[in-house]
Amino acid sequence: MKDVLALILAGGRVDDLGVLTFFRPKSVMPFGGLYRVIDFAMSNLSRSGIEKVGILSQYRHLHLMQHIANGMPWDMVGRNRFATVLPPFQGPHESKWYRGTADAVYQNLHFIEQNKTELVIILSGDHVYSMDYGKLIDFHLETKADLTMAFTKIPEHGANRFGIGHIRDEDPRGGRVLHYVEKPEKPPYEWASLTIFVIEPRLLVKVLEANALRESHEFGKDIIPELVKGKKVYGYKHEGYWGYTRTFREYWDTSMELVRPHPKIDLKSWQIITNLEHSNIRDGQPALVGREASIHNSLFYSGCHIGGTVRNSILFPGSRVADGAIVEDSILFFGATVERDAQVRGVIADTGAVIGKGTEIGGNPPEELTIIGREASIPAKLKISHGVTVYPGVVQKHFHKVKYGPGEIIT
């Protein structure tokens, strides 16, 4: 395969993910009981033999830098192998935060030119899927495309949040992109952009330098439509599963694919790799399942202590479910605790959150999820309905009622 440089748009925080991205970029959101969302892009690159990787992020990138380390978990360390986080920087010319996806790449043109690869592949860091990028690149070369984009069938909900393409039926793998529109209110075509682009460095530099003179700096909105009109743009059809994690509901739905009767996400066959140096994983003791515990259709890992009932849920390392507690249709991040006789349904509890004895939280999906922020401590014997948000660090003195209705926010 040709020499390829990968750029991952790891982004910032997402307002739709609220309190879950107060302290981390969306790309390192915990996923699947052990992993981070960016692990899917990194693992795809590793399996595809692409080992020169730049990761563009500007929001709380310390968590991202710690997770990526130097690329070692994905075997990207060597004379011509690396994984590097590229935050914005100040210099004689560049001194602004990334103003969009295109501007993020533009501010790192020196990185592209320094590596002198034959192709560049640009990826989003917040998607859950498995893809052999080698096949995508082969398609790009065979069609002699100026730009090749990956597409998937538009999702059932929220299709107006994606770039939509009309792909000419030429080959089972894809065809020429005839029309492209960014985030239309009513999608006119059936293929949604995955924000995966293959392009030669010279053309990429040219279009980014032209775009830098404008006020808007987004690939989907500003660059792709012009390339479709004036260049050979091809669409590659991704037929496998693809999950989004931009909203609470999308994150929860994608996570629950792991525990459904016929899961669409196969972590083993996808060969997903993560960094196991996280302290709660590296130093965790073996999981302990108590004598009275009952576990159904759930995932849990090292350091978990389960004494109560867990159904259709995902527990990250170090999380605890005490005797008599019930956890259903929920996700507990690292070190979250559900104390004795508490009941939790349809909840995402961030790292270190504590739910007090006898407290009842949430409802049964598809009702709105209840979100508990990092290291929040909820008192005993409360009743908190579905759709409630508890801010990070909230402690007992912040609770002024014993019952909270749907949609309330506790700060």
Side-chain angles (χ1 to χ4, degrees):
M1 188 172 67
K2 283 183 174 288
D3 194 15
V4 181
L5 174 68
L7 298 175
I8 300 178
L9 301 169
R13 69 176 299 269
V14 179
D15 289 341
D16 291 338
L17 287 173
V19 299
L20 297 182
T21 51
F22 275 12
F23 301 104
R24 62 171 71 89
K26 60 182 179 177
S27 57
V28 290
M29 277 278 291
F31 185 86
L34 179 62
Y35 308 92
R36 305 293 177 129
V37 173
I38 199 171
D39 291 342
F40 291 85
M42 291 294 293
S43 299
N44 288 337
L45 289 168
S46 178
R47 286 187 288 102
S48 302
I50 299 173
E51 298 168 325
K52 297 178 180 179
V53 183
I55 302 163
L56 284 58
S57 179
Q58 66 181 4
Y59 177 76
R60 292 191 180 272
H61 45 261
L62 176 61
H63 292 277
L64 181 60
M65 294 172 73
Q66 289 174 332
H67 183 68
I68 295 299
N70 59 354
M72 178 67 78
W74 298 272
D75 197 26
M76 293 178 180
V77 175
R79 181 167 301 203
N80 295 302
R81 296 179 292 165
F82 56 81
T84 303
V85 177
L86 300 169
F89 63 92
Q90 286 191 335
H93 302 294
E94 294 88 349
S95 60
K96 297 179 180 178
W97 290 105
Y98 295 153
R99 297 169 293 170
T101 54
D103 183 61
V105 178
Y106 172 73
Q107 289 199 36
N108 289 283
L109 287 183
H110 65 286
F111 182 75
I112 297 171
E113 293 165 347
Q114 172 185 313
N115 281 285
K116 295 180 170 51
T117 57
E118 298 170 274
L119 292 172
V120 175
I121 183 169
I122 300 171
L123 315 167
S124 176
D126 62 348
H127 299 169
V128 174
Y129 65 105
S130 176
M131 182 184 290
D132 181 350
Y133 300 134
K135 294 180 179 179
L136 167 65
I137 291 167
D138 288 343
F139 180 74
H140 174 82
L141 296 173
E142 289 173 26
T143 58
K144 296 182 171 58
D146 295 306
L147 168 72
T148 299
M149 308 170 58
F151 288 86
T152 189
K153 284 288 182 69
I154 60 173
E156 184 177 350
H157 303 291
N160 61 337
R161 293 186 294 112
F162 300 88
I164 305 297
H166 180 201
I167 302 174
R168 187 164 63 195
D169 190 12
E170 301 178 19
D171 181 303
R173 296 172 297 170
R176 184 79 177 260
V177 177
L178 302 177
H179 301 285
Y180 180 86
V181 57
E182 181 71 3
K183 300 179 181 178
E185 192 60 35
K186 293 184 178 180
Y189 313 116
E190 65 176 350
W191 292 96
S193 171
L194 293 180
T195 317
I196 300 174
F197 311 128
V198 178
I199 190 170
E200 290 186 0
R202 282 187 300 176
L203 178 57
L204 179 61
V205 170
K206 182 178 178 180
V207 297
L208 289 177
E209 288 180 339
N211 175 261
L213 303 175
R214 302 178 182 177
E215 294 183 357
S216 182
H217 310 281
E218 299 291 345
F219 276 105
K221 178 184 174 183
D222 307 303
I223 291 177
I224 302 304
E226 290 193 5
L227 288 176
V228 169
K229 291 176 183 177
K231 295 289 184 179
K232 268 182 85 173
V233 178
Y234 271 73
Y236 179 83
K237 298 177 180 179
H238 174 63
E239 300 286 357
Y241 177 79
W242 175 84
Y244 207 24
T245 59
R246 190 178 179 86
T247 68
F248 293 136
R249 174 56 60 178
E250 287 169 335
Y251 171 80
W252 185 88
D253 283 342
T254 302
S255 297
M256 289 299 114
E257 279 297 339
L258 291 162
V259 295
R260 290 191 173 123
H262 302 287
K264 296 178 182 177
I265 300 173
D266 187 341
L267 295 172
K268 183 176 181 180
S269 68
W270 288 12
Q271 300 177 40
I272 303 304
I273 303 165
T274 193
N275 185 352
L276 295 175
E277 285 301 301
H278 186 292
S279 60
N280 281 332
I281 302 173
R282 179 193 62 217
D283 301 329
Q285 301 300 307
L288 175 62
V289 177
R291 186 172 301 177
E292 302 298 324
S294 176
I295 304 172
H296 305 267
N297 196 44
S298 297
L299 298 176
F300 61 96
Y301 201 72
S302 65
C304 288
H305 185 168
I306 303 173
T309 298
V310 178
R311 301 189 188 98
N312 302 317
S313 295
I314 298 173
L315 278 58
F316 281 80
S319 56
R320 301 173 65 86
V321 179
D323 294 355
I326 298 174
V327 175
E328 293 183 339
D329 302 313
S330 296
I331 302 171
L332 305 183
F333 286 5
F334 299 97
T337 297
V338 181
E339 295 188 340
R340 181 183 292 272
D341 299 325
Q343 297 184 29
V344 172
R345 293 180 173 88
V347 169
I348 302 175
D350 205 340
T351 298
V354 177
I355 298 166
K357 296 178 181 179
T359 285
E360 298 178 17
I361 301 182
N364 293 317
E367 290 183 286
E368 195 173 353
L369 296 164
T370 300
I371 311 299
I372 302 173
R374 186 186 186 99
E375 296 182 359
S377 182
I378 299 176
K381 298 182 179 179
L382 297 189
K383 289 191 176 181
I384 298 176
S385 187
H386 62 86
V388 170
T389 297
V390 180
Y391 267 50
V394 166
V395 295
Q396 185 165 348
K397 66 180 181 180
H398 296 102
F399 292 86
H400 307 295
K401 302 190 292 186
V402 295
K403 186 175 182 179
Y404 290 84
E408 291 198 54
I409 298 176
I410 304 170
T411 61

